[in-house]
């Protein structure tokens, strides 16, 4: 089993204490997202959980608890989103410079192979121009390249609720930025990857991403695993099957683009 913590909410940021309590107890209760009156119990142990994948925009609150996970014998890595957006888009986050420094601190603690930088979702607007993204992406590459091996990007999915907030994302901007990202990441020794993108970015040097990645997990675990692709995810998703814990609607980051709000 792979435990995903979580696509539904930011567990490292807001629920670190509860996560550690439950993992010590050897059991998580997971609510059905379509029926709040239904839930199931997920037993966990180091023998049954191959790896824990943390998804977060700020892991500071869980970092002092990682020695507990290590002592229990769990393998894990972080999908750590760092974007150049302000409080108008990500109102609940700490100061971005502090979060960038937390990225470096986490990498120094657990190693750069266990910290994946996510620059996503990419949003274009009057303030978030193509040139703005180029400048900020390269700045972050220069800051992060000693502390991670890859960067994962995606362009914002224009859900119905976002169409009145952001302008249409133009294909020419996506291709232009994709080309820049591919070359800039490689310049700094990072592997650029794209998550669930309908655009073919491979000619721009950007590989397709599997955020829950078989090769990465096998490298962290030190042995091969036999887990199939996740058929419950979006069409272009390459992730392995996992069990998502956490509950929708409980994240206080308040990101205006978030599908889980």
């Amino acid at each position: 089993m792979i435990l995903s913590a979580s696509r539904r909410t930011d567990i490292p940021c807001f629920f670190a204490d509860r996560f550690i309590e439950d993992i010590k107890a050897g059991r998580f209760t997971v609510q059905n997202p379509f029926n709040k009156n239904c839930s199931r119990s997920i037993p966990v142990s180091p023998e049954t959980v191959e790896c824990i994948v943390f998804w977060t925009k700020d892991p500071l609150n869980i970092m002092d608890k990682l020695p507990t996970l290590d002592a229990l014998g769990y393998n894990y890595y972080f999908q750590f989103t760092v974007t150049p957006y302000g409080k108008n888009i990500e109102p609940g986050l700490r100061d971005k410079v502090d979060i960038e420094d937390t990225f470096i601190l986490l990498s120094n603690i657990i190693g750069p192979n266990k910290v994946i930088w996510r620059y996503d979702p990419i949003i274009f607007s009057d303030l978030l121009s193509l040139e703005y993204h180029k400048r900020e992406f390269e700045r972050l590459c220069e800051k992060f390249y000693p502390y991670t091996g890859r960067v994962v990007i995606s362009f914002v999915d224009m859900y119905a609720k976002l169409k009145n907030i952001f302008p249409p994302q133009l294909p020419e901007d996506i291709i232009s930025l994709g080309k820049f990202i591919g070359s800039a990441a490689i310049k700094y020794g990072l592997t650029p990857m794209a998550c669930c993108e309908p655009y073919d970015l491979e000619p721009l040097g950007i590989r397709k991403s599997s955020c829950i990645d078989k090769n990465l997990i096998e490298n962290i675990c030190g042995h091969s695993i036999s887990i199939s692709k996740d058929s419950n995810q979006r069409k272009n998703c390459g992730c392995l099957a996992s069990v998502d814990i956490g509950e929708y609607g409980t994240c206080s980051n308040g990101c205006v683009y978030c599908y889980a709000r």
Side-chain angles (χ1 to χ4, degrees), residues 106-108 110-116 144-150:
L106 177 64
S107 176
N108 284 334
I110 67 175
N113 65 314
K114 293 183 180 180
V115 185
I116 310 303
F144 288 163
Y145 80 86
Y147 307 104
T148 186
R150 67 175 75 176

Side-chain angles (χ1 to χ4, degrees), residues 25-63:
R27 190 168 299 275
F28 288 90
T29 299
V30 181
Q31 187 181 78
N32 186 320
F34 304 105
N35 185 346
K36 291 191 174 184
N37 294 319
C38 291
S39 61
R40 59 175 176 145
S41 181
I42 307 294
V44 296
S45 71
E47 292 71 38
T48 59
V49 176
E50 298 282 3
C51 193
I52 302 167
V53 181
F54 290 111
W55 311 72
T56 187
K57 289 185 171 68
D58 186 359
L60 183 64
N61 292 335
I62 205 170
M63 285 167 58

Side-chain angles (χ1 to χ4, degrees), residues 10 31 37 71 82 93 166 180 209 237 242 249-250:
D10 195 331
Q31 187 181 78
N37 294 319
V82 183
L93 291 179
F166 301 119
F180 178 84
S209 169
C237 181
S242 62
T250 60

